Amino acid sequence: MKVIIVADNLGGGSARLGRALIEALAKKIGWHSLIVLGNARLGLNSHDKLKCIKYLELKSDWTPRFLKRHIFVRKYTKDAVILNLTNFPIGTIFLGAQKELCLLHNAYFFTVPPDIRSLGLKFILRDILARRFIFHFLNLFSASLKTEFIVQTPWMKKLVQKSLPAKFKLESAKLHGWPHCKISDDKEISFNQKINIGKNIIWFYPATGEPHKNHALLYKMFAKALKRQPQMKLIVTLPFGQAFSLKLTALSKTLGIDNSIINVGWIQEDQKNYLLKKCSGIVFLSEFESLGLPLLEIRELNKKAIVIKSNASEYILGNGSHIFDLRSKNISQRKKEQERFVKVLSSNPIPDFEYGKNNFTSIDDAYFFDWIGGNS
């Protein structure tokens, strides 16, 4: 049985999860059974790529990549199944594969951004209209498609069910565990700029800059905290050159905190793990997560962290004083929570928190192996 793995748009946590799943499948059925469409962020090593039936790496340009994806997959669909990690089904009706399993791992495609106006016309036309089209497509061809869907949490399943046609099978199966955070030894790891990890408080926010990640809100609260703790630093991972990154850079200058913000851009996994280990504490202000991999890393490393109240934070970390309702609908409560956040952000030393019950569970790889073998 040939398995086509479509994973060319993964990044961040989804890339780590995707790589872990691919490696688990390869261990079970062999690299010689896999056809992989990936990207640089997927991080497969060159030796494993050569062992695949075929490996193709695509760049991030959206429309050409979309067309190349379909041309590539079409070549190999005879007697093959598609394991699709891109959020959007390829469509067995046109490509001729026996069946397709599509992992929906990005909640952003199923909810409304908190500040859609800031995204610009290009984003609205490309992403929001595209996602609406895909679900109209699913409705139109629901009788012919052989696609099943899988999500990682009950919250994500509830969210997706509002958009997905009732005909389709949707499993709430959490992705075969998760790739544990491998921390490098104490050797110095290089970045695109000098990072001095000394006695000062260094906060780290490992997230890209979509509106629901709340970087603008964090910058405003960080500006207030700097008045109490002027030597404090904040490390962020915003992609260079993107419109939202440029807007946040301008905001940091307006607030007068640009010298206290260190943007390392998109970083490799060993660089991220190094910063997770070396930083004083982690901030995480994402309003929703399909899984919440950074929160799992926080828990595994037992790091001091302050996070926004969300579906993922209480699910993984439990409810406690380390969780802040920064977007409360009650204006008075929201103001109090933001003030409390600023106080903790500027504390030296950072207070300890006790995490509550971790509700995250995992399923065995057998789910995916059974599906590939036709026993789902």
Side-chain angles (χ1 to χ4, degrees):
M1 174 67 70
K2 293 185 299 185
V3 181
I4 301 172
I5 300 175
V6 185
D8 58 282
N9 71 345
L10 303 187
S14 64
R16 289 187 61 210
L17 290 166
R19 181 173 65 254
L21 175 57
I22 292 170
E23 290 172 347
L25 288 173
K27 187 176 181 180
K28 183 75 174 182
I29 65 176
W31 287 101
H32 62 277
S33 299
L34 302 183
I35 300 155
V36 180
L37 184 58
N39 63 13
R41 297 184 181 186
L42 190 59
L44 294 179
N45 67 58
S46 55
H47 182 65
D48 290 336
K49 292 176 186 177
L50 291 173
K51 290 189 288 186
C52 297
I53 296 174
K54 179 70 175 180
Y55 177 87
L56 178 65
E57 194 165 283
L58 294 185
K59 296 182 179 179
S60 60
D61 48 329
W62 192 81
T63 304
R65 189 188 71 211
F66 182 81
L67 295 174
K68 290 175 185 175
R69 176 193 298 168
H70 283 70
I71 292 170
F72 174 83
V73 172
R74 180 70 182 177
K75 291 181 181 179
Y76 298 97
T77 49
K78 185 178 180 181
D79 300 323
V81 297
I82 298 175
L83 178 55
N84 185 352
L85 308 181
T86 69
N87 290 295
F88 294 123
I90 294 291
T92 52
I93 185 173
F94 296 126
L95 298 178
Q98 293 183 9
K99 57 182 180 177
E100 176 185 30
L101 181 64
C102 184
L103 173 65
L104 302 174
H105 58 79
N106 194 337
Y108 198 64
F109 293 122
F110 302 95
T111 189
V112 178
D115 187 6
I116 196 172
R117 292 171 298 177
S118 68
L119 302 180
L121 182 61
K122 181 180 178 181
F123 179 92
I124 294 172
L125 290 176
R126 191 193 75 177
D127 284 32
I128 297 176
L129 293 183
R131 74 188 72 168
R132 291 291 168 247
F133 169 79
I134 200 69
F135 291 115
H136 284 303
F137 170 85
L138 288 175
N139 272 310
L140 186 62
F141 292 101
S142 62
S144 303
L145 287 171
K146 302 171 185 176
T147 301
E148 298 176 20
F149 294 89
I150 185 170
V151 292
Q152 297 161 274
T153 61
W155 177 85
M156 187 67 174
K157 181 175 183 178
K158 185 177 180 180
L159 186 67
V160 171
Q161 281 177 327
K162 298 176 182 178
S163 301
L164 199 65
K167 175 260 178 188
F168 290 98
K169 182 179 180 182
L170 176 65
E171 294 289 343
S172 178
K174 300 165 192 67
L175 186 60
H176 83 286
W178 64 288
H180 291 278
C181 188
K182 298 177 181 178
I183 299 297
S184 304
D185 56 26
D186 289 332
K187 69 179 180 180
E188 190 73 20
I189 292 182
S190 62
F191 294 87
N192 57 7
Q193 57 181 291
K194 182 65 177 177
I195 298 178
N196 294 313
I197 305 287
K199 294 182 179 180
N200 295 329
I201 296 293
I202 304 289
W203 289 99
F204 179 38
Y205 186 16
T208 51
E210 296 94 336
H212 69 284
K213 301 294 186 181
N214 283 307
H215 282 81
L217 175 61
L218 174 59
Y219 278 23
K220 292 171 185 176
M221 293 188 293
F222 187 71
K224 294 179 180 179
L226 272 176
K227 295 177 180 178
R228 304 182 182 186
Q229 195 69 244
Q231 301 303 315
M232 185 169 55
K233 301 290 184 182
L234 172 65
I235 300 175
V236 294
T237 57
L238 298 170
F240 295 117
Q242 298 286 343
F244 54 76
S245 299
L246 296 174
K247 287 182 179 179
L248 288 168
T249 299
L251 176 61
S252 70
K253 292 179 179 178
T254 300
L255 295 170
I257 62 174
D258 49 307
N259 290 330
S260 299
I261 303 285
I262 303 172
N263 182 19
V264 294
W266 183 82
I267 53 178
Q268 300 287 343
E269 186 175 331
D270 63 338
Q271 293 174 311
K272 183 207 67 178
N273 291 344
Y274 176 82
L275 291 175
L276 285 172
K277 180 179 180 181
K278 293 293 187 178
C279 70
S280 311
I282 300 167
V283 291
F284 197 71
L285 267 62
S286 177
E287 287 189 50
F288 51 82
E289 292 286 308
S290 61
L291 176 63
L293 188 57
L295 298 171
L296 287 166
E297 292 171 337
I298 288 170
R299 181 136 199 162
E300 180 183 17
L301 298 173
N302 197 29
K303 291 293 293 190
K304 295 181 178 181
I306 48 178
V307 304
I308 195 171
K309 182 179 180 180
S310 69
N311 67 293
S313 60
E314 294 184 333
Y315 183 69
I316 294 173
L317 299 180
N319 198 3
S321 57
H322 55 287
I323 294 179
F324 298 78
D325 193 3
L326 301 175
R327 291 291 192 184
S328 173
K329 293 180 180 179
N330 184 300
I331 297 176
S332 177
Q333 176 67 14
R334 182 168 69 237
K335 184 178 179 180
K336 288 179 181 179
E337 287 290 273
Q338 292 183 7
E339 289 174 351
R340 186 169 71 91
F341 186 91
V342 169
K343 184 178 180 181
V344 174
L345 193 64
S346 58
S347 298
N348 189 4
I350 302 169
D352 291 320
F353 300 111
E354 288 207 13
Y355 297 128
K357 180 183 178 182
N358 180 9
N359 294 301
F360 177 82
T361 56
S362 62
I363 63 167
D364 191 86
D365 290 317
Y367 176 89
F368 297 93
F369 303 145
D370 287 348
W371 180 86
I372 289 168
N375 300 317
S376 60

